[in-house]
Structure formats: C-alpha cells, structure tokens
Amino acid sequence: MNEETFFKARIYGLDKEQFGIFKSILLDVIVIPLELYCGIISLFWQTSLHIVDKLNFDVNNEILVSCVFVVVIGLYGYVKELPFKVYGTFVLEEKHGFNKQTPGFFVWDQIKGLLVSNILTVLLSAAVVFIVQWGGEYFFIYLWAFAGIISLVLLTIYPIFIAPLFDKYTPLEEGDLRTAIEKLAASLKFPLTKLYVVEGSKRSSHSNAYFYGLWNSKRIVLFDTLLLNKGKKDNTEVKEEDEGKGCTNDEVVAVLGHELGHWKLGHVTKNIVIMQVNLLLLFFVFNYCFKYAPFYEALGFAPGVRPILVGLFIVLTYVMAPYNAILSFALTILSRRFEYQADEFAQKLGYADLLQKALIKLNLDNLGFPVHDWLYSSWNHSHPTLLQRMNRLKKLEAKDKKSQ
C-alpha cells in the first residue's frame, strides 16, 4: 500500500465515521426522542384511521388500518433517511470515486425500492395482525412458524425475482474462470446450478461475491467489480480509473474457496438456526408484554387502544434493546470466528497465498484502512481486519510446513 493510497484510505475512513457520528447524533439523540415526546407514532395511527375512514372502509378492522399505518410510517421513515442517502451517495462516495449512479438511476432505484418494500411490508403486516388475533394464547408459536417459513421463502425468491429488478444479472461466459469455478464446486460437491455476474459497477465500484439458494440448488454471484478490468477482455472498453482493478481468475477462485468454506462448514445453516431460535424468544416476550397498557399510553395512545403492530415495535425496539445489544455483539464474535474458519478452509485447499493477494487487492480497491483499534474492531467489524486475516493465514501456513 503506497503512501498516496494509505492517505486516501485514511481520509475515506474518517469521512465515513464522521458522517456516521453526525447521523447518529441527529437521529438517535435528537430526532427520535423528540418523536417519542410528541407521540408521533400515535399521530400516525390516527392518520391511518382517518385515511381508512375517508376511503369508506371499516375503521374497526385492525388489519386494514395496520396496512395503511405501515405505509404511512414507512414513507415518513424514508423521507427522514433520504437526505442521508443522497449525501452518502452523491457527496461522500462521489468524493472518493466510488459512486457510479446517475441522478436518474438513483431516483428510479428509489421508486422501485419503495414499491417492493411497501408491497412486502403490507402483506407481512396483515399476516402478523391476523395470526395474533386468530392464534389465541399461544399465537407466538404460530407467528414463529410463519416467520420461519417466510424468511426461508424470501432467502430463496429475493435473489431470483427481486434482486434482478435493481441490477442486471448475466450468466458468466464460458472460459477459464467458469471452468475453474465449476471444478472447485464439483470437488467440494457444492450443488452449483447457476453462475452469474451482476453489473454492480452501475451502482458502485465496491466489490463482492456470494452464493444463495437452499438445498440442492445453489447459485454463485460475482460482482463485475470483483473481476479484473470488470471481466472485459478488451481493455479499450475499460475506463482509465478502473483499469487494473479487480482480481485475477485464480484470485477470484481463492475468494470463492473462502465463500464455499462457509457452506461446507455449515455456517449458513447455523446462522439460520440461531435466527429461528432468536425469533421464537422475541415472539415469546412479545406475547407476554404487548398487552401492557402503559407502553401504549407512553407513546400517546388513549387508554384501551393497543394496536398489535405498535406493541411489536415497542417490544422489539425498546423492551429487548439490552438483549439486542448483547446478541449483536455475540453474533459479531461468531461471524469473525466463521471468517477465520472459512479462511482456514481456503488455506487447506491450497489458496492461502492467492487469498491474501485477493484480500489486499480488494482492500486497496475499496480504500479500506488497514489499521484499527482492536476494541473498536471487536465491537463493530463482523469480519477480522485485513492484517488479522493475513497473520492468521501465515500462521496456518507455517504450522503446516512445520508439521511436514
């Protein structure tokens, strides 16, 4: 990492942190307490009742009112976040050369995002209210079963039907890279059915790779920004600022060796199990807390008015806040452990040197600052730092050489 890149990465890191601190102070310290003090949630509920009444529907139908409520409060939340999205995209990311979105692309992207999120939110909210009303004393068990099924369904359909609405996915063309990936997948008995490249460069120059799918139908997705020169064989098609960026074919395969390590070691399954156990606990607490009247009165609701969705919001956001903080830290520790294990898996496949080269390239391309305070990193970073991962890989290589 030369001095110029080190300086750029440092400034980029500082800018992101300062922006995050400013946003947290403005929203978490000032705006949200004001919203609670002014009873904005109860105000939105009253607005929803008024809308339902104006449309000549039954205001006593909580499912219908709840559907309007989630749209109203969702639009408010979107408007509240929009200035930060615009600044983050067109000022912060633009300043450091990462933003690739045009204003028109951004607006169309936001419209599609609003439509999709509102449709999903309305359908899920209606189902939640119905299950709570219908389920009786043990509704939380039915709610948990529903949430578990829906989460698995969304994990399956989101990449197939929803993600392509926002980005272009094309099959990876025949060639050395495709052959190498298919060979790696076959050697690990990974049930690879599709191999895609997503045109992430229209949105950002940040890079990534992932796999998805349940059971025996897995698909791998590579960001075009991960590939050397975006995977284009003709360098004349590559912009000057993108030339030389990305990983070679061998380095991409090494990165996928790490990603497939997560699958082979059962990390995806373990995370799903943890998520389901956590959901059961959250719904169990919700079952015993959501009828507590002072919660609603504190938010400005009249005595006796206890909307189910508002109760769910109170329990998940405030009652469970200490638990959520502890759980988040525990999951961060677990995620870091999983990353080390996936690195070790790739190392055992013989990709230690290539994986280190790929990690360095990705760090440089994404202007990742390499030096972090260990305590801050332990709390905030779901992945070990670049230097920690490289040090771990070198120790594993030295251990193997010593044993030989």
Side-chain angles (χ1 to χ4, degrees), residues 48 65-77 114 118-119 121-122 125:
S48 303
V65 177
S66 296
C67 289
V68 176
F69 173 73
V70 294
V71 172
V72 171
I73 203 166
L75 289 174
Y76 169 75
L114 271 175
N118 276 307
I119 290 170
T121 304
V122 166
S125 299

Side-chain angles (χ1 to χ4, degrees), residues 73-270:
I73 203 166
L75 289 174
Y76 169 75
Y78 173 79
V79 171
K80 189 169 65 174
E81 286 282 339
L82 186 58
F84 299 102
K85 284 185 179 179
V86 172
Y87 180 88
T89 301
F90 292 103
V91 179
L92 197 154
E93 293 291 301
E94 184 79 28
K95 174 184 175 182
H96 296 281
F98 290 115
N99 175 48
K100 302 299 179 183
Q101 298 183 61
T102 62
F105 180 91
F106 179 83
V107 170
W108 180 230
D109 205 47
Q110 298 304 305
I111 292 172
K112 289 187 290 185
L114 271 175
L115 287 173
V116 171
S117 63
N118 276 307
I119 290 170
L120 289 176
T121 304
V122 166
L123 293 175
L124 293 175
S125 299
V128 167
V129 176
F130 171 78
I131 290 170
V132 174
Q133 291 177 336
W134 167 82
E137 184 179 356
Y138 299 103
F139 74 82
F140 68 94
I141 296 176
Y142 304 115
L143 193 59
W144 171 66
F146 170 76
I149 293 169
I150 288 298
S151 62
L152 292 177
V153 169
L154 287 177
L155 281 173
T156 304
I157 69 170
Y158 178 83
I160 300 172
F161 299 107
I162 300 176
L165 296 174
F166 299 91
D167 295 298
K168 183 180 178 182
Y169 288 74
T170 55
L172 179 64
E173 61 184 25
E174 296 292 337
D176 294 340
L177 179 58
R178 185 181 185 92
T179 301
I181 292 173
E182 289 174 343
K183 183 179 178 181
L184 172 64
S187 69
L188 299 175
K189 297 182 180 179
F190 179 77
L192 178 63
T193 55
K194 301 285 184 181
L195 189 50
Y196 292 114
V197 175
V198 59
E199 198 174 8
S201 55
K202 280 194 172 182
R203 187 180 303 277
S204 169
S205 59
H206 292 299
S207 51
N208 198 4
Y210 63 92
F211 70 88
Y212 67 92
L214 298 175
W215 298 292
N216 292 323
S217 179
K218 304 287 187 184
R219 303 170 186 199
I220 291 176
V221 176
L222 307 173
F223 279 53
D224 60 348
T225 47
L226 177 67
L227 308 178
L228 185 64
N229 296 331
K230 296 182 183 176
K232 294 178 180 177
K233 297 178 181 179
D234 186 357
N235 287 350
T236 58
E237 299 179 26
V238 183
K239 294 180 180 179
E240 186 178 347
E241 65 266 23
D242 296 324
E243 194 171 344
K245 287 188 175 182
C247 299
T248 64
N249 289 351
D250 289 340
E251 290 163 353
V252 171
V253 174
V255 171
L256 288 177
H258 166 93
E259 294 300 328
L260 295 184
H262 286 302
W263 167 77
K264 195 71 173 179
L265 297 170
H267 295 164
V268 178
T269 303
K270 290 172 184 175

Side-chain angles (χ1 to χ4, degrees), residues 300-318:
F301 286 89
V305 179
R306 297 193 293 266
I308 291 169
L309 285 186
V310 174
L312 184 62
F313 167 76
I314 293 170
V315 171
L316 297 186
T317 306
Y318 298 111

Side-chain angles (χ1 to χ4, degrees), residues 40-54:
I40 198 167
I41 295 176
S42 62
L43 177 63
F44 283 142
W45 185 259
Q46 291 299 321
T47 302
S48 303
L49 287 170
H50 181 70
I51 293 172
V52 171
D53 184 50
K54 283 291 183 182

